[in-house]
């Protein structure tokens, strides 16, 4: 309804009041696993990690409701004229939860754990843009290998929280940050509880006395918990029951499109997916519109095997949308020297709500092209550590990224830890670096256009759809203008909302 549209445009709802302090806030997420850890180096980048990190920690920079960035633990963020050297002056008087003062060393160590030799962090390849990181009094100087106009967005990532230094690493076992809430209990895959940080440096944030983040993988259970008042907010609402939920009376449903997309990555180094014609056959064998209509109940739009959404300023609208075309799929199979194909897809709804049904529907579409897709159901728990990027063909989901550079760097650069299609393309890698430092907008758009074409035509990730992000909030909870990149106020709900 109009409420969702208002929220999506970054306008505060009419009933927003002055925030009140007190009470408890409980949010139930469709993410989280018993394998989750407090170690920022092993952060898996799920909706749980982002919600948790924005509750416990701060970053150097944060994103705002308008899609821009504002300094967070940095007080000022200044680029050199060529965007190669950035100076970040740190805020004074910020304390960690245990009373330690925030220092330049804490910031340097918090970034360097992701850069160090042998780091397991998904951020390691992304932070290779940094050639030198040093302190100058209470400022941090970041020198880059090549210009990057988007560096502040990178520093706002929940995967780069600032923790207290310990030796040349960070003290992560203590679960201590500078953020709005202090951790009282961490039970991975089940629940995390927090109390308000009484010394929080932001006067206009952290209104609840207590916060609880639950993992409730079952969609019906999550929805029921909200309707009965057992929890105050949920993400990943069931798209089939969204309208019913909106009529419940005690619930506000928010629907935005920040570029969230669902993927079916194939390992390009493993047969038969190492054959481009096989990949193209599979791309033509899926009826994308049927998937959007059935799995998303229309709450989304078809995608073209490319992560850049039509809402992104660098989206290339000139690339033709790939249709469902079983004959074209057969033609590509023939070019690959096959007249039929049998393949497994290993899948669980942990990847995204409706993932298993998506694969089943896809297997029906593919029959017309002589392709037999065997749907192998995997358990939800442990899916991210045992199946995704381990089995040759799986499923996953990605939130929208604030920049085209981040979408491509995280999932398609040949060195990326989360290059889930194991795809390597020299031209793509060259363009990625060139576009990052290109300050001429028209040239930059052209480069991102060519990269989208390469990923669409040659890549090994099937991206059938962009999903609207729908989440729901109890009407007992107040909030301001909502950030639209990801659900739950771009996962800052605990810090920003209040009990009415």
């Amino acid at each position: 309804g109009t409420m969702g549209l208002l929220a999506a445009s970054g306008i505060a709802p009419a009933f927003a009041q002055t925030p009140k302090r007190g009470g408890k806030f409980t949010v139930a997420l469709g993410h989280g696993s018993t394998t989750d850890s407090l170690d920022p180096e092993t952060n898996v980048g799920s909706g749980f990690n982002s919600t948790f990190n924005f509750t416990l920690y701060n970053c150097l920079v944060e994103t705002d409701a308008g899609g821009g960035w504002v300094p967070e633990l940095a007080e000022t963020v200044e680029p050199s004229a060529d965007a190669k050297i950035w100076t970040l002056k740190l805020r004074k008087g910020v304390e960690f939860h245990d009373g330690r003062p925030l220092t330049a060393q804490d910031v340097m160590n918090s970034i360097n754990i992701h850069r160090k030799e042998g780091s397991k962090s998904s951020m390691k390849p992304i932070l290779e843009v940094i050639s030198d990181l040093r302190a100058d009094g209470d400022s941090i100087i970041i020198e880059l290998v090549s210009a990057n106009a988007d560096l502040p967005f990178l520093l706002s990532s929940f995967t780069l929280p600032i923790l207290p230094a310990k030796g040349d690493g960070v003290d992560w076992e203590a679960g201590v940050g500078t953020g709005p809430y202090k951790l009282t209990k961490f039970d991975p895959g089940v629940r995390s509880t927090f109390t308000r940080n009484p010394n929080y440096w932001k006067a206009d944030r952290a209104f609840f006395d207590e916060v609880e983040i639950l993992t409730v993988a079952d969609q019906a259970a999550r929805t029921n918990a909200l309707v009965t008042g057992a929890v105050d907010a949920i993400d990943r609402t069931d798209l089939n029951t969204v309208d019913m939920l909106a009529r419940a009376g005690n619930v506000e449903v928010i629907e935005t499109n920040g570029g969230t997309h669902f993927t079916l990555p194939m390992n390009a180094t493993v047969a038969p997916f190492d054959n481009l014609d096989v990949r193209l056959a599979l791309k033509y064998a899926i009826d994308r519109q049927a998937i959007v209509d059935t799995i998303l109940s229309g709450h989304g739009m078809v995608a073209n095997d490319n992560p850049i959404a039509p809402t992104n300023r660098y989206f290339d609208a000139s690339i033709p949308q790939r249709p469902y075309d079983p004959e074209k799929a057969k033609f590509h199979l023939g070019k690959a020297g096959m007249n039929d194909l049998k393949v497994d897809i290993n899948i669980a709804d942990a990847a995204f709500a409706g993932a298993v049904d998506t694969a089943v529907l896809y297997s029906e579409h593919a029959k017309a092209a002589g392709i037999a897709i065997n749907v192998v159901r995997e358990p939800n728990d442990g899916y991210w550590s045992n199946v995704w990027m381990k089995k040759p063909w799986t499923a996953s989901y990605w939130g929208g990224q604030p920049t085209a550079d981040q979408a491509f760097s995280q999932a398609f650069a040949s060195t990326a830890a989360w290059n889930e299609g194991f795809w390597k393309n020299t031209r793509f890698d060259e363009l990625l670096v060139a576009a990052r430092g290109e300050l001429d907008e028209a040239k930059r758009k052209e480069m991102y256009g060519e990269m989208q074409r390469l990923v669409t035509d040659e890549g090994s990730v099937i991206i059938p759809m962009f999903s609207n992000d729908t989440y729901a909030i109890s009407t007992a909870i107040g909030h301001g203008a909502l950030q639209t990149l990801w659900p739950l106020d771009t996962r800052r709900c605990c810090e920003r909302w209040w009990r009415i």
Side-chain angles (χ1 to χ4, degrees), residues 14 48 65 74 81 88 95 100 103 147 180 261 268 285 289 298 346 359 399 405 408 420 444 456 460-461:
F48 167 76
L88 292 88
E95 283 184 359
R100 280 180 265 189
T103 67
H261 52 282
Q289 191 61 54
N346 296 73
D405 178 66
F408 281 143
E420 57 185 4
R444 202 177 196 207
T456 294
S460 57
V461 180

Side-chain angles (χ1 to χ4, degrees), residues 275-287:
N275 185 311
L276 176 58
D277 280 296
V278 168
R279 301 202 296 264
L280 284 168
L282 286 164
K283 287 177 180 182
Y284 279 111
I286 185 168
D287 186 339

Side-chain angles (χ1 to χ4, degrees), residues 11 25 39 65 77 79 93 102 104 112-113 138 172 198 230 252 260 263 270 279 284 333-334 372 382 425 436 496 499:
I11 297 165
F25 174 67
D39 182 353
V77 179
L102 172 73
N112 284 337
I113 56 164
D138 59 358
W172 60 264
E252 178 192 8
T260 292
T263 68
V270 174
R279 301 202 296 264
Y284 279 111
L333 277 188
N425 184 292
R436 191 178 286 149
R496 297 171 49 116
R499 191 163 279 292

Side-chain angles (χ1 to χ4, degrees), residues 2 51 107 146 151 158 178-179 214 311 320-321 333 359 436 489:
T2 42
T51 312
V107 172
S146 56
L151 182 74
F158 69 90
T178 59
L214 303 177
T311 48
Q321 173 63 50
L333 277 188
R436 191 178 286 149
D489 216 347

Side-chain angles (χ1 to χ4, degrees), residues 40 57 96 98 100-113 161-174 176-178:
Y57 307 113
F96 284 100
D98 58 5
R100 280 180 265 189
L102 172 73
T103 67
Q105 194 62 52
D106 300 320
V107 172
M108 295 209 301
N109 286 24
S110 294
I111 296 174
N112 284 337
I113 56 164
I162 305 303
L163 277 73
K166 182 182 177 183
D168 57 2
V170 294
D171 179 6
W172 60 264
E173 292 93 337
V176 163
T178 59

Side-chain angles (χ1 to χ4, degrees), residues 164 245 349 401:
L245 198 56
D349 281 342
Q401 299 300 323

